[in-house]
Amino acid sequence: MSCLGNALWFLLGGMWQGLAWGLAGILWCVTIIGIPIGRQCFKFASLAFFPFGKSVQYGGGAASALANLLWLLLSGIPLALAAGVNGLLLCATIVGIPFGRQCFKIAKLALMPFGAEIIGPQ
């Protein structure tokens, strides 16, 4: 079922969210200091492309909190807003609710990506 969900997701909006994460990663990698943040963006772009069957586990310490604060101020808010609005629009229909839930998962990740780990299919 997750294969069908991922295929539909990619065609109906996941591609744009994954590309947004990829663009954020490229922009962060332009500077030497931003390369670790850009690498995180690329890792989470794979989740944005194909989110079904994957979950996110949050954790981390003080360094993650500091990186999340910097991320939130510079890149996190636009990515979270885009995913949140997309999720609200998808939840307007009963058929779109599973896709909207994936958008909300990505929006939460966009607010605090550092210290988060993607757990793949079991």
Side-chain angles (χ1 to χ4, degrees):
M1 185 64 175
S2 67
C3 184
L4 177 62
N6 280 327
L8 287 172
W9 168 264
F10 185 78
L11 293 174
L12 299 175
M15 178 178 66
W16 299 112
Q17 289 188 21
L19 289 175
W21 277 96
L23 177 64
I26 290 170
L27 291 175
W28 276 102
C29 285
V30 168
T31 66
I32 300 296
I33 296 171
I35 289 175
I37 298 172
R39 291 184 67 213
Q40 283 288 96
C41 290
F42 296 136
K43 181 169 58 170
F44 294 132
S46 69
L47 175 71
F49 281 131
F50 305 108
F52 285 92
K54 297 177 185 172
S55 63
V56 180
Q57 182 178 9
Y58 294 95
S64 294
L66 185 60
N68 279 330
L69 181 62
L70 179 67
W71 165 261
L72 184 65
L73 294 174
L74 297 175
S75 297
I77 292 174
L79 287 171
L81 283 175
V85 168
N86 195 13
L88 288 174
L89 291 173
L90 285 168
C91 285
T93 65
I94 292 176
V95 175
I97 290 174
F99 298 103
R101 291 184 65 208
Q102 299 303 318
C103 284
F104 296 138
K105 177 171 56 174
I106 293 168
K108 182 179 177 184
L109 181 64
L111 292 175
M112 44 187 180
F114 296 95
E117 182 181 349
I118 298 173
I119 308 297
Q122 278 88 33

